[in-house]
Amino acid sequence: MPNQLRRFWQHYRGARGVVRELVTIALCVGLGSLVMPCLIYATGRLVLGPYAHGNLFAMWRDFLAALTAGSFAAWFIVVGPYLLVWLLRGGRRLLHN
């Protein structure tokens, strides 16, 4: 598996333009829809206690229902990692000028 990750990283670093941006979007949306809800669940469980509707999968099901209903908060969670990438790019550009 590490060899596959290394090859993917080399391919990503070598990609330019639309291909690189599409891969970045796909990774960020995957992170926002799979990892972020898990982190939110874990943080909420530590700070607030057990989730009222059940376990992690119940929370993820509620999250997906909110996405399909068009919840701004749910979509912000999904798009958040990509927005962070844009903020980091902008900060890097400001520092290098």
Side-chain angles (χ1 to χ4, degrees):
M1 185 71 163
N3 194 21
Q4 291 174 336
L5 288 174
R6 185 177 300 119
R7 278 187 288 161
F8 174 77
W9 180 249
Q10 289 171 349
H11 175 70
Y12 177 75
R13 296 282 299 189
R16 295 286 178 241
V18 175
V19 172
R20 184 173 185 163
E21 200 62 26
L22 287 175
V23 171
T24 303
I25 290 171
L27 288 172
C28 288
V29 167
L31 184 75
S33 60
L34 296 174
V35 176
M36 291 299 290
C38 294
L39 293 175
I40 291 169
Y41 174 80
T43 304
R45 185 158 171 91
L46 285 173
V47 175
L48 303 172
Y51 184 60
H53 297 145
N55 58 10
L56 172 64
F57 296 110
M59 197 285 264
W60 198 60
R61 184 182 64 239
D62 292 343
F63 174 72
L64 291 178
L67 275 177
T68 58
S71 168
F72 178 75
W75 279 103
F76 187 75
I77 291 169
V78 170
V79 179
Y82 188 62
L83 294 175
L84 180 63
V85 166
W86 271 92
L87 286 173
L88 292 173
R89 286 175 178 171
R92 185 177 61 189
R93 182 168 275 182
L94 284 174
L95 289 175
H96 288 284
N97 285 338

